[in-house]
Amino acid sequence: MQPKTRKALKRMGTALLWMAVLVGFVVLVSAAVKVKDTTQCKGIVVKLSGDDENFFIEEKDIKALIVKNKDLNPIGKPVSSINIATLEKVVAQDPWVKQADLFIDNNRVLNIKVVQREPVARVFTTTGNSFYLDAQRDRIPVSERYTARVPVFTGFPTDAPQLQTADSALTAGIVDFSTYVLNDPFWMAQVEQVNINGERKFEITPKLGDHIIDFGEGTDVEKKFTKLLAFYKEGLSRVGWNNYTRINVAFENEVVCTRKDGTPPPKPTPPHLDSVDVDMAGTGDIAAATTTAAAAPAKETARHAEHTEKPAAKPAPKTTVKPSSNNKTPKPPAKTQRTPKAVYKPADKPINATKKHKTP
């Protein structure tokens, strides 16, 4: 046999062998798929993931979504007849389900992996309704089973599911505010409640301290809390936690406070008044002091006119000072100078202290 013929037959035999192996593999796979498709689903396994502290949904709740519908219940049905996509949509309709993944394993068991929604804030509307917000700003209904430990907001202006631009901005501020507080143990313990006023600004009621914190809008959250914490450490720790009714951190680079006693800031001194003409008792009666001071120049002018009408006085005789035996020149007598005095009176008996002018 020719060498060429021998090589050709060898190649043909190898090709036939590989073809037989491939056909056998296809037959086995087809048989396995057919067996799997004809076998029935044995059960359902649910796996939940998310915040372990929030149990707003349980495994039995997910199973009930599928089992309660006979047409959708996969147990006892052939695997080939189970519509995985439809079951995923049914599970995802639950408001507490963020994401659902379903598949059937080799043991012919339906596996359902569910990611729960995690609330970051609880909101009460002006009508009394309540709901949660998650990090994606989606609303979550309140559960009768559990209550999430998150910041509470009151006074939300609307119950409408479709929000206007202003309401959407307010929702974004609530989420940013709550996310920051949840990540800070001190503020999580200090913030009792947040009220939304008519200007859509936040008013914080703290757990420690008898005051209200005007936070402003839900912007620059970290900057405002950092400023407020510095004021707590440097200010309230010295003067006390109950001396102010309101603490405003909405302004740029400053904290504005309102005292409980209502003490107003000191009034500025008018530039034309002498220091002794100012109301030293703190009664605010600057008008009387101004009138007194304004009348003084007029009196001086009148006195000056009277003085010019009188004849000139005779010059005083010269006095010769003899040198003493110790040849020391005597010093001239010191002039006595009247120092104006300020009169202080209690606040309940106000009095204005004015400068007295001596008639020349």
Side-chain angles (χ1 to χ4, degrees):
M1 184 179 292
Q2 296 293 332
K4 293 183 179 180
T5 304
R6 188 179 301 165
K7 289 181 180 180
L9 292 174
K10 187 176 181 180
R11 290 177 180 175
M12 188 179 297
T14 303
L16 291 173
L17 180 61
W18 279 109
M19 188 177 294
V21 171
L22 182 59
V23 171
F25 179 77
V26 171
V27 171
L28 292 175
V29 170
S30 300
V33 171
K34 186 176 180 180
V35 171
K36 183 177 181 180
D37 290 342
T38 56
T39 55
Q40 298 177 348
C41 178
K42 295 182 178 180
I44 300 175
V45 174
V46 179
K47 296 181 180 179
L48 300 176
S49 61
D51 191 354
D52 295 336
E53 296 182 358
N54 295 325
F55 302 96
F56 293 98
I57 193 170
E58 298 180 351
E59 295 181 8
K60 62 180 181 180
D61 300 325
I62 299 299
K63 290 182 179 180
L65 294 173
I66 298 177
V67 175
K68 67 180 181 181
N69 191 333
K70 296 181 179 180
D71 296 333
L72 296 177
N73 188 1
I75 299 177
K77 293 183 178 180
V79 174
S80 59
S81 64
I82 299 175
N83 192 331
I84 300 296
T86 301
L87 295 179
E88 285 183 349
K89 292 180 180 179
V90 171
V91 175
Q93 288 178 355
D94 188 279
W96 281 99
V97 174
K98 181 179 180 180
Q99 182 180 351
D101 295 323
L102 284 72
F103 65 92
I104 298 176
D105 60 15
N106 295 329
N107 295 324
R108 296 179 294 279
V109 175
L110 177 63
N111 289 261
I112 304 176
K113 291 185 177 181
V114 173
V115 179
Q116 300 182 78
R117 294 188 183 276
E118 299 182 11
V120 297
R122 183 168 184 178
V123 180
F124 288 85
T125 65
T126 54
T127 59
N129 295 324
S130 178
F131 57 86
Y132 289 102
L133 288 174
D134 64 1
Q136 288 71 38
R137 307 173 189 174
D138 294 329
R139 293 189 181 187
I140 308 172
V142 177
S143 174
E144 297 179 356
R145 185 180 304 163
Y146 298 105
T147 300
R149 187 173 178 269
V150 293
V152 177
F153 292 77
T154 59
F156 194 78
T158 180
D159 292 314
Q162 298 295 332
L163 300 179
Q164 301 295 328
T165 303
D167 298 328
S168 298
L170 180 60
T171 301
I174 292 174
V175 172
D176 293 343
F177 182 100
S178 297
T179 302
Y180 183 88
V181 171
L182 286 172
N183 293 326
D184 192 302
F186 173 78
W187 293 119
M188 188 61 189
Q190 173 67 350
V191 175
E192 177 75 19
Q193 180 178 313
V194 182
N195 180 57
I196 303 172
N197 60 22
E199 298 178 353
R200 299 174 183 269
K201 296 181 179 180
F202 298 159
E203 297 176 342
I204 304 174
T205 301
K207 293 182 180 179
L208 178 62
D210 188 15
H211 56 261
I212 299 296
I213 302 170
D214 292 322
F215 195 83
E217 298 178 349
T219 56
D220 298 327
V221 176
E222 182 178 1
K223 185 177 181 180
K224 293 178 182 178
F225 272 118
T226 301
K227 181 169 56 177
L228 179 59
L229 182 61
F231 177 74
Y232 274 1
K233 293 180 179 179
E234 302 297 331
L236 296 188
S237 61
R238 297 179 181 179
V239 302
W241 286 75
N242 297 319
N243 289 337
Y244 299 102
T245 58
R246 303 190 79 88
I247 299 174
N248 195 322
V249 296
F251 297 99
E252 185 71 19
N253 298 326
E254 63 179 353
V255 177
V256 180
C257 302
T258 303
R259 292 178 59 90
K260 274 189 175 181
D261 54 12
T263 302
K267 295 183 179 181
T269 303
H272 61 277
L273 295 180
D274 193 271
S275 60
V276 296
D277 294 324
V278 181
D279 179 20
M280 305 302 294
T283 61
D285 191 9
I286 302 296
T290 305
T291 304
T292 304
K299 294 181 179 179
E300 291 294 333
T301 304
R303 294 192 185 102
H304 181 70
E306 294 176 359
H307 182 72
T308 56
E309 293 176 359
K310 295 179 180 181
K314 295 181 179 181
K318 296 182 180 180
T319 304
T320 305
V321 180
K322 297 181 180 181
S324 59
S325 59
N326 53 6
N327 296 328
K328 291 184 179 180
T329 302
K331 295 182 179 180
K335 296 182 179 180
T336 59
Q337 189 175 11
R338 292 178 61 86
T339 303
K341 297 181 180 180
V343 180
Y344 294 85
K345 293 292 184 180
D348 54 348
K349 296 181 180 180
I351 185 171
N352 296 326
T354 59
K355 180 187 290 187
K356 298 181 180 178
H357 301 275
K358 186 177 181 181
T359 304

